[in-house]
Amino acid sequence: MGRRGVVAVAAVGVAVAACVVAGVVVGKRVKSRRKWKRVMGVLRELEEGCETTVSRLRQVVDAMAVEMHAGLASEGGSKLKMLLTFVDNLPTGSEKGIYYALDLGGTNFRVLRVQLGGQRSSILSSDVERQPIPPELMTGTSEDLFDFIASALQQFVEKEGNGSEPPPIRRRELGFTFSFPVKQTSVSSGILIKWTKGFAIESMVGQEVTESLQRALDKRGLDMRVAALVNDTVGTLALGHYHDEDTVAAVIIGTGTNACYLERTDAIIKCQGLLTTSGGMVVNMEWGNFWSSHLPRTSYDIDLDAESPNPNDQVRIFLPYIHFLLFDNN
């Protein structure tokens, strides 16, 4: 084969390769356009399904106000539980010393130690460790769950000051943020009403939460006392009030959603005669269970609710899963 033949064959090879590359590029573009059209179609569907005009939002507000009043008037009289927290005083900013906390309320839990300096917004130091909750513990036994938490807390405490600090003279006091519906019996005790957020340990429902944790702590020889049991909304409100005394409400938007606020005790009709030094009490709304016919509900909401461990409870919106539905689900 002469030089011209070699050049011709090379030219044909290059042409074929170019066609293949062009085909791949065109194919990707076509596929990308099809995928983009699918994305836009889903987004249009969502926009129509989630449409909320101002007048519709006002109807939702009115419906929630009615449920709030009903929940404050009687137990079980509303979709909103309007739970008493027995927290009648919020941080003033004068708090001083070292405080410990556990935060359990989703797929992760946190252990915290913070040193306050005695002046508003004066946080001298803080240490936080996060750990995922093994999925099997979310549906196993309460003993296994709280033993896992106590073990993590023990390791956290043992690392305090890398062993260079002397042991504390007084017993450590622990705040426990437990972000599930609880009927409080005091500021440091309460009974689990039901699980949410993927937890489903049936034997724990109706049981005292603080006692379960305290048993696990005592079992491991941890000299700590659960001094406060609060919802994550209440903890958020306390922190907000610590930084700004005008803060009177808090909202959580995460694995679930909820809100709490400071209410006058004379407005809480279901516990008439309740007296507090401040004349108010923080109310945990548990508004994740709120529902109104004015709220839009899409097919995604319905499917997600049906496949959840607790269908028809704490109905969730599907928004956190949009990325998966549109981009990761081939």
Side-chain angles (χ1 to χ4, degrees):
M1 182 182 296
R3 182 179 299 176
R4 289 185 179 179
V6 172
V7 172
V9 171
V12 171
V14 170
V16 170
C19 288
V20 170
V21 172
V24 170
V25 171
V26 171
K28 285 185 176 180
R29 288 182 177 177
V30 170
K31 186 177 180 180
S32 177
R33 287 174 181 172
R34 287 175 180 170
K35 193 171 184 179
W36 181 248
K37 287 181 179 179
R38 182 165 65 92
V39 169
M40 294 304 297
V42 172
L43 289 177
R44 279 193 296 271
E45 178 188 344
L46 297 181
E47 184 179 9
E48 294 172 0
C50 297
E51 183 182 6
T52 49
T53 61
V54 173
S55 60
R56 193 174 187 182
L57 289 175
R58 285 174 178 161
Q59 290 175 318
V60 173
V61 169
D62 291 340
M64 180 170 283
V66 169
E67 294 293 337
M68 289 175 68
H69 288 297
L72 291 173
S74 64
E75 293 289 353
S78 167
K79 300 182 184 73
L80 302 178
K81 297 187 181 299
M82 306 300 285
L83 299 173
L84 304 183
T85 64
F86 292 87
V87 175
D88 59 343
N89 285 292
L90 293 168
T92 63
S94 62
E95 293 77 14
K96 188 175 183 180
I98 296 177
Y99 298 83
Y100 299 84
L102 283 176
D103 179 11
L104 174 66
T107 53
N108 297 280
F109 84 95
R110 295 182 294 176
V111 186
L112 167 71
R113 177 176 55 248
V114 62
Q115 183 176 6
L116 304 181
Q119 296 179 354
R120 189 171 295 281
S121 295
S122 177
I123 299 177
L124 302 181
S125 65
S126 63
D127 295 298
V128 182
E129 285 190 2
R130 296 173 176 82
Q131 283 201 33
I133 300 290
E136 63 272 15
L137 294 184
M138 298 170 69
T139 55
T141 68
S142 58
E143 291 79 8
D144 289 341
L145 175 63
F146 285 107
D147 186 63
F148 175 77
I149 293 172
S151 174
L153 178 59
Q154 182 179 39
Q155 295 174 34
F156 180 80
V157 170
E158 287 175 349
K159 291 188 294 186
E160 186 175 25
N162 296 319
S164 60
E165 295 182 5
I169 298 175
R170 62 180 180 82
R171 192 180 193 188
R172 293 181 176 94
E173 293 195 339
L174 177 70
F176 185 23
T177 299
F178 186 74
S179 304
F180 303 93
V182 168
K183 180 177 176 58
Q184 301 252 179
T185 52
S186 73
V187 73
S188 61
S189 60
I191 296 170
L192 176 64
I193 297 174
K194 65 180 179 181
W195 290 105
T196 58
K197 307 173 188 176
F199 283 77
I201 305 174
E202 291 301 324
S203 61
M204 183 65 193
V205 176
Q207 301 300 309
E208 218 290 321
V209 176
T210 301
E211 287 182 1
S212 299
L213 175 59
Q214 193 67 60
R215 279 197 299 269
L217 298 178
D218 295 341
K219 178 182 176 182
R220 291 188 167 271
L222 273 170
D223 190 22
M224 304 187 85
R225 181 182 72 91
V226 181
L229 175 69
V230 298
N231 186 272
D232 56 349
T233 55
V234 180
T236 301
L237 174 58
L239 178 62
H241 197 272
Y242 177 74
H243 290 296
D244 182 355
E245 62 182 351
D246 292 329
T247 304
V248 295
V251 175
I252 294 292
I253 302 176
T255 305
T257 179
N258 192 17
C260 73
Y261 71 102
L262 189 60
E263 179 63 272
R264 301 189 329 271
T265 50
D266 59 6
I268 308 175
I269 302 173
K270 62 183 176 183
C271 58
Q272 282 187 337
L274 176 68
L275 298 176
T276 63
T277 56
S278 65
M281 179 178 289
V282 177
V283 173
N284 171 18
M285 293 179 62
E286 286 296 332
W287 79 5
N289 204 46
F290 173 74
W291 179 251
S292 166
S293 60
H294 303 297
L295 281 170
R297 196 178 189 199
T298 70
S299 60
Y300 301 100
D301 297 311
I302 296 170
D303 292 343
L304 182 62
D305 179 44
E307 295 177 10
S308 71
N310 303 293
N312 299 318
D313 282 334
Q314 306 287 119
V315 179
R316 301 179 187 180
I317 59 173
F318 74 97
L319 291 176
Y321 302 92
I322 283 182
H323 185 275
F324 168 78
L325 291 171
L326 298 187
F327 302 104
D328 297 334
N329 186 10
N330 296 322

